[in-house]
Each structure stands twice: as structure tokens, then as C-alpha cells.
Amino acid sequence: MDFLPDAIVPCILVYVTNAKDVASASCVSKRWKESIPYLNKLVFTRNIFDDVKRFSPDDIIGHMVSSINKLEELVVYCPFSGSGLASWLSLAGHSLRKLELKMDDNLVDMNSCSRKLDSIGAATNLESLKLWGVNMTRGPKWHTFHKLRNLEIVGAVTDDSNLHAALMACPNLSNLLLLGCEGLTDVFIELPHLEKCKLDFNGLGKCSLTVNSPKLQHLEVQGFSGIRVPVTQFLRDLIISNTAGRVGALDFGKLVALESLEMRGVQWCWSAIHYMLQLASEVKHLLMKVEFTGDFDALQPFPEIDIVDFFNSHPKLTKFEIHGAMFAALCQRNSLRNVDSRFTIPCLEEVVVTVRSPLNAEQKMSTLESLISCGKKLRKMRIRILQMKSSHSSTDDFFEDICKFTHSHRRIVSIE
């Protein structure tokens, strides 16, 4: 290290971020010790202080933070106190651009939880903030983070008003990620510069969501029964999922820019499915993985879907992924009668079909043949056979038909 050219040292510093490595290197090289003030990132891993007994983690982190002239990124996964965090940020808060903290909050010590959140407000120049394990049962006392563009919170206990207060302090966000959040019922997000939003909430799947962000391009939501997004002129990617409840009321603006739509969940109201399929007429990638429909708790099968009308209504569709229920709905005998030599699927290039039952095997095979013959640009078809009951009398025959079909179109079709 002592003999390295000066121009090489900054290149090495970029890759040495683990606090344990930094401390070890400073003990064996005077040149390295003199270079510590020029580091810009420190990472404290989860178990970094397991063998340290003499000093407290708060003191060690504070000493290392204070030794750096301009710390721009701080990542702390090990346990720490609210007072310790306040001390570090009082030293480096003015220069920090990225902050990532594993909070490990719980409901036992409410004051400690609140102090940790409040202390973050000292880092006024943050551009990215990532928090893990947050108890936000009281709104954080933050001033406005004018430069914050990225906010990620994973595993939070909060409520509607406190989450809203936190988001109000971050008016210029372009990326928002909230995963594993609990305690929310009616979420309202109004961020004028938001472009990418991912929300995954725990619970019974009965939350409602309103997003009013005119620049929104990507929206992925899980756990909501009602969703309202009035301004959607730039929305390109949309994923809606609900694994615990029923998706019901949906209200979107015109999806003129939408290229990819994914609908997932156990149960959707048919009106919601029909609404989204109508609205997404220009979509290029469509994934349908909804098991049942029904407006009430009783689970209902999909109604019949006319295959000709469906593809005529989605002329730009290039990739189509269909799960068992949607595939069965397209395979009805009345629907297949409308398929003739004049019908074509102009843009379809890839199909992924998940088959779960041998029922109506003849119609299903006819539908697969129709996709091959009518999809003039089709170059790949993947058939996934999932949890098919082998005890059913027709299972073996159906599987044999699929194998023959695959062999006949082996350049296009494969079985997974």
C-alpha cells in the first residue's frame, strides 16, 4: 500500500466499504490510515460487533464516521440506539446522500423507535433512504427532504395518517417502495414527480389505494381491493395482485401508454377483470394469473371468453401468459366455433400456458392448435403442467396429447 502511486489509491478506496476491512487495513498500513478521511462509504454488517466487548457499537460507529471528511453513504445493519444514530448524523448528516438502516424496531420501547425516526431528519441532503423493520406508529418529526428521490421501507407497522405524514416530508420522490407494511386501510399517495411505485401490504387484502402522480410510469401493488389512479398518461407497466382478498373496485385513467399488464390473485370480481381488459386494449405483454371470479365470498369460475373477440380487442399483444382459469375460459366450444381461416393474431410472438386440469381436453388442444395456426409471428410456446391430478381418468391421455402436440411443433412448443 505504501508504494502505490497516488492515482491508484482513490480507485481502491471505492471498493473498500466494509467497516471491518477499513479498520483492519488502517492497523497495518500508515498510508491506508492516512487515506481513511477520503472514504465516502461505510457498511456495518449485521454481526460485525459480535466479538467486540470493550466498546459499544454506537461509540465505534461514531468514531469511524467522525474520521471521514465527507461521508456520502452509510449502511448500518447491526443493532444501534436512537441516541447513537442522532450522534452520527449530527457529524455526517450534511454530507450524506444515501442512508440505509436496519431499524429492528418493536412495540416495547416506543420512545426509542420514535427517536430513531426523528434523528433521520438531520440528514437534510439525502437522495436515497432505505429502512428495514420500522415502527412508525407515530409520525416522524422530519423537515422536508427536498433532495430525496428514493424511499424504500421494508417491514413497517404504521397507519394511514403516519404514513401520509412521512410521504409529505418527501415531496420530490421519483421512486417509492413499501413492502410488508401492516396497519393500513386507506392509502393516499400524491407525489408530483413519482415515476416508479411498488406497494406490498400485509393483512386481509381489503386496503384501498389512491395514487395521484402525473408522471407515474411503473405501478406494482399487492394487497388492495380497491385502486384508483386517475392520471395515467405515462403509465407503461402495471401489476395488480391480491393473494389474501378480492380485487373489486378499479378506477384508472386512459392507459394510452400501457405496454405491460399483470393481473394476479385468488379472486377478482369479473367486472374488474373485464374493465382492465377493455382499458388495456393496446397492451403488448399480458399476464393473467387469477384463479376465480365472484362478487362475494363464493368462488366462481371464469365466464366464457370468445377467443376471436379477445385477440381482435388486443391487436398489439406480443407476449401472452395465461394461467389455468383464463385458459379454460378461452377454450369453450362456442368460442372455438368462431375461429376460421380468416382469423389471424397479428403480433403474438410468445405464449406461456399453465394447464392444471385435464377437463375439456379436446377444446384445450384445439385452442393450442388455433394459437399455432393463427399466430403468424408466433416463435415460442411454453406449456406448464402444474399440479394436475394424476388420479383423473383422462390425465394420461391428455398428457400424451400434449406430448404429441409438442413433437409436431417442436421448433416452437416446449413443456415445462
Side-chain angles (χ1 to χ4, degrees):
M1 180 70 182
D2 292 336
F3 301 100
L4 287 175
D6 291 340
I8 299 296
V9 175
C11 298
I12 298 175
L13 292 179
V14 172
Y15 296 100
V16 183
T17 60
N18 186 289
K20 189 173 184 178
D21 294 340
V22 172
S24 300
S26 65
C27 296
V28 297
S29 169
K30 180 181 178 182
R31 178 86 172 277
W32 180 256
K33 187 174 183 179
E34 294 172 348
S35 301
I36 287 181
Y38 303 102
L39 292 171
N40 57 21
K41 179 179 179 180
L42 277 178
V43 178
F44 295 87
T45 58
R46 180 68 179 173
N47 303 314
I48 191 171
F49 297 120
D50 283 358
D51 299 326
V52 177
K53 307 298 181 184
R54 186 175 178 183
F55 301 101
S56 72
D58 285 352
D59 291 340
I60 297 174
I61 296 174
H63 175 73
M64 295 192 71
V65 168
S66 65
S67 65
I68 297 176
N69 293 338
K70 189 178 179 182
L71 186 64
E72 295 184 359
E73 185 172 354
L74 177 62
V75 180
V76 182
Y77 293 142
C78 61
F80 61 90
S81 68
S83 58
L85 178 62
S87 174
W88 317 329
L89 295 184
S90 67
L91 297 170
H94 64 286
S95 63
L96 274 181
R97 299 293 181 266
K98 299 179 181 180
L99 178 62
E100 184 171 351
L101 303 172
K102 187 171 178 60
M103 306 285 279
D104 280 339
D105 283 347
N106 56 61
L107 297 174
V108 176
D109 188 351
M110 296 296 296
N111 290 328
S112 175
C113 302
S114 299
R115 281 198 300 271
K116 288 182 180 180
L117 277 176
D118 293 345
S119 299
I120 295 172
T124 55
N125 292 316
L126 282 179
E127 296 173 5
S128 176
L129 175 61
K130 300 180 181 181
L131 303 175
W132 301 72
V134 182
N135 176 12
M136 199 186 294
T137 50
R138 180 181 68 76
K141 295 179 180 179
W142 292 344
H143 298 294
T144 303
F145 291 107
H146 290 288
K147 296 183 179 180
L148 193 67
R149 299 294 183 268
N150 178 61
L151 175 62
E152 300 181 17
I153 301 177
V154 179
V157 178
T158 184
D159 57 33
D160 300 335
S161 60
N162 290 321
L163 176 62
H164 183 69
L167 295 180
M168 289 292 288
C170 314
N172 298 316
L173 287 179
S174 60
N175 181 61
L176 173 64
L177 182 144
L178 304 174
L179 302 182
C181 297
E182 300 179 3
L184 296 151
T185 57
D186 189 1
V187 179
F188 180 79
I189 297 173
E190 187 170 22
L191 296 167
H193 303 286
L194 188 65
E195 297 178 0
K196 186 175 182 180
C197 181
K198 182 176 181 179
L199 310 174
D200 187 342
F201 290 0
N202 297 335
L204 300 176
K206 296 182 178 180
C207 292
S208 63
L209 170 68
T210 299
V211 180
N212 190 10
S213 300
K215 296 183 179 181
L216 190 65
Q217 298 179 19
H218 177 96
L219 177 62
E220 181 175 351
V221 296
Q222 202 297 124
F224 296 91
S225 60
I227 304 169
R228 182 173 181 267
V229 187
V231 185
T232 55
Q233 67 262 39
F234 297 112
L235 188 61
R236 293 200 309 263
D237 305 299
L238 176 59
I239 302 173
I240 302 174
S241 176
N242 194 336
T243 57
R246 180 175 62 251
V247 177
L250 299 178
D251 182 11
F252 286 81
K254 293 182 178 180
L255 300 176
V256 293
L258 193 68
E259 297 180 357
S260 176
L261 172 63
E262 297 185 17
M263 294 185 279
R264 302 173 179 267
V266 176
Q267 184 183 16
W268 281 48
C269 294
W270 178 248
S271 59
I273 295 176
H274 186 259
Y275 173 78
M276 290 307 304
L277 290 178
Q278 279 192 319
L279 208 59
S281 59
E282 302 296 308
V283 74
K284 296 179 180 178
H285 173 210
L286 176 61
L287 184 148
M288 288 285 300
K289 194 177 180 181
V290 180
E291 301 287 347
F292 301 97
T293 65
D295 295 336
F296 304 101
D297 291 338
L299 303 176
Q300 301 292 332
F302 276 39
E304 180 178 331
I305 299 175
D306 188 285
I307 189 171
V308 175
D309 288 345
F310 175 82
F311 282 105
N312 285 340
S313 300
H314 300 86
K316 297 182 180 180
L317 195 61
T318 59
K319 184 176 181 180
F320 189 26
E321 299 184 53
I322 35 178
H323 202 65
M326 180 67 176
F327 181 56
L330 286 170
C331 295
Q332 299 301 314
R333 192 179 301 275
N334 292 332
S335 172
L336 294 173
R337 288 174 182 169
N338 296 327
V339 179
D340 56 30
S341 58
R342 294 171 297 177
F343 171 61
T344 61
I345 307 173
C347 298
L348 191 63
E349 297 179 2
E350 183 176 354
V351 175
V352 181
V353 180
T354 301
V355 182
R356 300 188 63 176
S357 169
L359 297 177
N360 300 321
E362 183 180 349
Q363 289 96 301
K364 289 178 180 178
M365 295 308 304
S366 296
T367 301
L368 294 175
E369 288 284 1
S370 298
L371 292 174
I372 292 286
S373 61
C374 300
K376 302 305 180 183
K377 293 185 178 180
L378 190 66
R379 53 182 178 80
K380 183 182 294 185
M381 175 185 288
R382 290 180 286 160
I383 303 175
R384 295 173 178 168
I385 300 175
L386 182 65
Q387 297 176 345
M388 189 180 294
K389 296 180 180 179
S390 59
S391 60
H392 198 281
S393 59
S394 61
T395 299
D396 292 340
D397 292 339
F398 183 42
F399 185 73
E400 184 178 349
D401 289 341
I402 292 177
C403 290
K404 290 179 179 178
F405 172 78
T406 303
H407 181 73
S408 300
H409 305 282
R410 53 186 175 275
R411 292 185 178 181
I412 297 176
V413 183
S414 62
I415 300 177
E416 296 181 355

